[in-house]
Amino acid sequence: RSCSGYVSRTRYLMRLREDDEACREALRSGNFLLYHKLAPLLQKTNSGVYKLACLKASDLEHILEKVGKDKRFVNESFLLGCTDKSEPQFSLEVGDLDRSALEQECRGMFVDLRKAFFMITGLESALVAKGQALLRWHQTNGFCSATGQPTVRNQSGSFRVCHSSGVTYYPKMAPVVIVLVSDGSRCLLARQAMFPPGMYSALSGFCDMGESLEEALHREVAEEVGLEVENLQYSGSQHWPFPQSSFMLACHATVNPDKTQVNIDTAELEDARWFTFEEITEALQKPPRNPKGEPPVFWVPPPYAIANQLIQEWANQQQLSRK
Ligand SMILES: NC(=O)C1=CN([C@@H]2O[C@H](COP(=O)(O)OP(=O)(O)OC[C@H]3O[C@@H](n4cnc5c(N)ncnc54)[C@H](O)[C@@H]3O)[C@@H](O)[C@H]2O)C=CC1
Ligand SMILES: [Mg+2]
């Protein structure tokens, strides 16, 4: 991406976040992601695959008119970002409108976000997750926690303010550490009882108040599997919309190969075990799937989850060291 293009888009978005009038103006040239009770709208393309629906302002107004809603309803959208061509992108919750009438007008369908993730591309999944997260935050922060009075949003939705207490609330994420532990030749994966059958993932946990990334990571591994890790290596981060907004901080870590005996916290985990390079490569080659009703063979989270990135990186590293 060209640097100046990126900087000018960033400055443009900054202005839209801060200037209510400019943001209202931008709604007119915006692209809109629709959600019905937080389920995003997908549309089937000519080639038969689903994509995230991005409606133009004029199309959205037309659709609202068809289902009997005033076009000023568009002002309830929240600013998400902008495309490479500086078209602003917004999310809008249409849960009060008739679902099937909307689906018909938009020639699409509202799909639960977890299911939608299996149907769309990686780039779209980050945007659709952000859109849902922002809607959810606004839906659950309508009142000031100090005074109980209603909070009022700015036009872009980058904050809400209580005029009675003067407190400004900003959208929140909860920091979560996720770590792939290796003993040099195997890696440790675990599953919670609520995971889909057969899926194992890297160890994860919410950061406690006041903790560093490193402290949270050491603590979570000790709590969940009774091991002491070393050689922490940062891999990357990701916003994760489930169950609410988590900010996933992903790392690699190692344990001493003589101290690999796991001692599972059964309240948290159903199982945790060491997987060989061969088992991992096989699991990575399986296509990402929505495994409802399928038999519980071992599989790993799909590419849109940062757990998959960690596992992939570990496998690549192993491959190199085996040559
Ligand atoms: N994107 C990815 O690749 C992955 C994402 N995750 C996400 O990481 C998150 C945390 O993982 P867990 O191992 O379940 O966490 P965890 O090991 O901290 O256990 C969850 C428990 O922590 C407590 N808790 C503390 N602070 C909390 C907060 N702010 N919100 C909710 N619960 C809180 C609750 O009692 C909850 O039952 C989950 O939301 C999960 O969806 C987990 C694995 C992979
Ligand atoms: Mg955990």
Side-chain angles (χ1 to χ4, degrees), residues 10-303:
T10 303
R11 294 286 164 88
Y12 172 60
L13 280 173
M14 236 171 96
R15 192 162 68 82
L16 297 190
R17 273 203 303 275
E18 288 160 9
D19 182 340
D20 286 359
E21 202 44 58
C23 189
R24 253 192 301 278
E25 182 67 28
L27 285 167
R28 295 210 235 141
S29 56
N31 287 334
F32 294 82
L33 273 53
L34 300 194
Y35 295 76
H36 196 278
K37 303 204 194 315
L38 297 175
L41 179 71
L42 304 189
Q43 284 170 328
K44 210 171 188 168
T45 60
N46 292 335
S47 50
V49 299
Y50 281 90
K51 69 170 179 61
L52 184 60
C54 275
L55 305 180
K56 284 196 169 63
S58 52
D59 294 338
L60 176 59
E61 280 184 15
H62 180 71
I63 287 160
L64 289 175
E65 199 171 78
K66 281 277 181 85
V67 300
K69 187 81 183 169
D70 191 295
K71 66 178 183 185
R72 273 171 301 182
F73 179 57
V74 172
N75 291 352
E76 290 181 27
S77 306
F78 298 108
L79 178 68
L80 296 180
C82 71
T83 65
D84 293 345
K85 296 181 197 111
S86 286
E87 297 160 334
Q89 298 163 303
F90 296 90
S91 61
L92 179 63
E93 170 63 62
V94 293
D96 288 340
L97 307 179
D98 185 73
R99 179 174 175 151
S100 52
L102 278 168
E103 288 180 331
Q104 210 175 347
E105 284 303 329
C106 302
R107 276 177 300 231
M109 61 178 178
F110 294 101
V111 181
D112 175 80
L113 186 60
R114 279 190 195 270
K115 284 204 195 106
F117 268 179
F118 281 94
M119 301 162 71
I120 61 182
T121 67
L123 277 177
E124 288 179 330
S125 43
L127 183 65
V128 75
K130 179 175 181 171
Q132 192 206 51
L134 203 56
L135 289 175
R136 190 198 298 279
W137 183 81
H138 280 278
Q139 287 169 11
T140 50
N141 286 271
F143 296 90
C144 173
S145 50
T147 63
Q149 293 298 309
T151 56
V152 180
R153 60 173 283 186
N154 63 340
Q155 184 56 52
S156 68
S158 65
F159 63 77
R160 303 188 70 91
V161 62
C162 169
H163 292 305
S164 169
S165 65
V167 176
T168 304
Y169 294 90
Y170 296 95
K172 262 197 199 105
M173 300 191 283
V176 172
V177 291
I178 176 162
V179 56
L180 187 62
V181 180
S182 172
D183 74 349
S185 61
R186 300 172 301 169
C187 70
L188 184 62
L189 299 179
R191 53 172 283 111
Q192 297 179 15
M194 61 176 278
F195 283 4
M199 191 186 88
Y200 280 72
S201 186
L203 299 173
S204 60
F206 290 95
C207 295
D208 281 345
M209 182 66 87
E211 240 176 8
S212 67
L213 163 61
E214 295 82 349
E215 287 165 342
L217 206 144
H218 280 283
R219 176 185 53 73
E220 277 295 332
V221 177
E223 281 180 4
E224 295 191 354
V225 293
L227 292 174
E228 275 189 53
V229 288
E230 48 196 21
N231 302 317
L232 306 186
Q233 236 191 326
Y234 176 74
S235 163
S237 67
Q238 169 185 52
H239 170 256
W240 189 245
F242 311 117
Q244 283 173 25
S245 290
S246 294
F247 180 51
M248 308 295 303
L249 297 154
C251 292
H252 293 276
T254 62
V255 290
N256 183 327
D258 300 329
K259 292 181 183 164
T260 58
Q261 181 67 45
V262 294
N263 174 358
I264 299 173
D265 169 16
T266 50
E268 172 88 20
L269 298 178
E270 186 182 82
D271 190 23
R273 60 186 189 86
W274 293 97
F275 289 85
T276 63
F277 173 67
E278 289 72 24
E279 286 175 297
I280 294 294
T281 0
E282 200 193 322
L284 282 171
Q285 278 156 9
K286 285 177 199 148
R289 59 216 192 106
N290 191 354
K292 208 171 194 175
E294 288 179 37
V297 290
F298 164 56
W299 60 292
V300 294

